[in-house]
Every structure is written in structure tokens, then in C-alpha cells.
């Protein structure tokens, strides 16, 4: 049984408190979130998630195994110091191409951030996710914790059995590449007033990508590992 003062318990308590506050007031904008993202226990929890997800190295070549060999606490201390001092800058993501499911002749781009950037992204996700989770409708299944596409499919099956006649499936071409970073930050700002957090998100959205030793302009794309964007989001209505 986990101890009451276990770091994971403290992170869960923080997430619960943020969720309840966001649920009670849907118009509230939250400040002082950056200090929570940089908490040692939040960064440690973020590292554990990144390590569990495995994943390849970014453009710096630093692997999860290398960090474990050199010292996890040292890495986390360095990351935290860079965040607190304002010196943190994400490195360009490494672009690779993977086959599209069911369409082996087509490929989609995938961005691989360096491991340290994935830790910071995951720490931000741990703090920010409860704020937006509080606003989701029960029939929304995409990008949500403890929810899967199969649950949405099951709901559709139940609705069809109940007499629903139409099921609509949509797929947006180049959805991630077409998103406007300023628009996305504006949506986040509806709930987040901490300028340092908004700046952090802008840095990630505008981060360049590296492909075959060449740098390309910033483009939003699915991210591998950490707090990346998942595909196959479903909204059952």
C-alpha cells in the first residue's frame, strides 16, 4: 500500500484539487501553474511516465537508458533549474515517417522530442489536463485519461440498437499540419492565465523539426511518447 506522503499521492492530490476547482467554476482562469509544473514530485512522476512509455531518443541522441546510467535525479535537477531560471528551450523534434494503419503505402510524419523535453511536456500535462478534463462532456472519448476508442464504439453500438439510424465518421486531411498555433494557445488561455505556462506551450508549438540533418519550419504534428497527441479520437454523440 502506498504511503500517505508518497510523491505520486501528492501529484494525484494536486490533480484532484485542480479538477474540483475547475469543475466548480467553469469560467475560472488558473494562475501559478508554472510553479506546480516545476515541483520535484511532478517532474519525477512525469519521468516515470516517460520511462514507462519507452520511446526513442530525440535529435540529441540521449536515450532513457543513458539517463538512468548517468543519474535520473541529476537530470531532473538540471531540467528543473533550467525551467526556474527561464533558460529552458526545447530542441527541435526529430521527424520520422511511419506507415498509416490499414494503408501501408501511405506514411504519416511523427515528431520525436528529446527525452528531457518529453519529461517537461508530461509534467505540464499532469497539471493542465485536470483543468480541461472538467469541461469535457460524457460522450467525449478522445485524448482523455481512462477512456478508449472501444468505449466510444460500444456507445455507438448501444445507440444503434436503440434505434439511431445514422453514424457519421469524419477524417480531416492534414489536421495537425493545418492547426493555427496562436488559435490553440488562445483556447488554452481561456483556462490558463499563467504567462509562463502559455509561453512554454508556444515554445513547443513553434519548435522546429529536423529531418535528415535539415531543419524545417515549425509544424504541429503527432508526437511520439510523453505527452504527445494521440490519434483515433472519437466523440460519440
Amino acid at each position: 500500500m502506498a504511503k500517505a506522503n508518497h510523491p505520486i499521492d501528492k501529484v494525484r492530490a494536486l490533480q484532484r484539487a485542480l479538477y474540483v476547482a475547475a469543475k466548480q467554476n467553469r469560467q475560472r482562469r488558473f494562475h501559478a501553474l508554472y510553479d506546480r509544473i516545476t515541483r520535484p514530485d511532478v517532474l519525477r512522476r512525469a519521468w516515470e511516465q516517460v520511462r514507462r512509455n519507452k520511446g526513442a531518443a530525440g535529435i540529441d541522441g540521449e536515450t532513457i537508458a543513458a539517463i538512468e546510467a548517468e543519474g535520473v535525479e541529476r537530470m531532473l535537477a538540471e531540467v528543473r533549474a533550467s525551467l526556474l531560471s527561464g533558460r529552458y528551450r526545447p530542441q527541435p523534434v526529430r521527424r520520422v515517417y511511419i506507415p498509416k494503419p490499414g494503408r501501408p503505402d501511405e506514411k504519416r510524419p511523427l515528431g520525436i522530442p528529446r527525452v528531457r523535453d518529453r519529461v517537461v511536456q508530461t509534467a505540464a500535462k499532469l497539471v493542465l489536463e485536470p483543468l480541461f478534463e472538467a469541461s469535457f462532456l460524457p460522450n467525449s472519448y478522445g485524448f482523455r485519461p481512462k477512456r478508449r476508442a472501444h468505449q466510444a464504439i460500444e456507445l455507438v453500438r448501444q445507440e444503434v440498437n436503440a434505434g439511431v439510424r445514422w453514424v457519421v465518421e469524419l477524417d480531416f486531411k492534414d489536421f495537425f499540419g493545418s492547426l493555427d498555433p496562436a488559435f490553440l494557445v488562445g483556447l488554452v488561455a481561456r483556462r490558463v492565465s499563467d504567462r509562463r505556462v502559455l509561453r512554454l506551450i508556444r515554445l513547443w508549438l513553434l519548435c522546429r523539426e529536423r529531418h535528415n540533418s535539415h531543419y524545417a519550419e515549425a509544424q504541429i504534428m503527432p508526437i511520439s511518447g510523453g505527452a504527445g497527441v494521440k490519434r483515433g479520437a472519437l466523440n460519440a454523440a
Side-chain angles (χ1 to χ4, degrees), residues 79-95:
V79 168
R80 185 168 188 264
S82 68
L83 287 166
L84 293 176
S85 66
R87 294 182 290 104
Y88 170 77
R89 296 291 186 279
Q91 291 191 9
V93 299
R94 180 165 65 90
R95 180 200 279 186

Side-chain angles (χ1 to χ4, degrees), residues 13 58 61 66 80 84 92 123 133 189 210 230:
R80 185 168 188 264
L84 293 176
E133 177 68 18
R210 186 176 180 181
K230 299 179 182 178

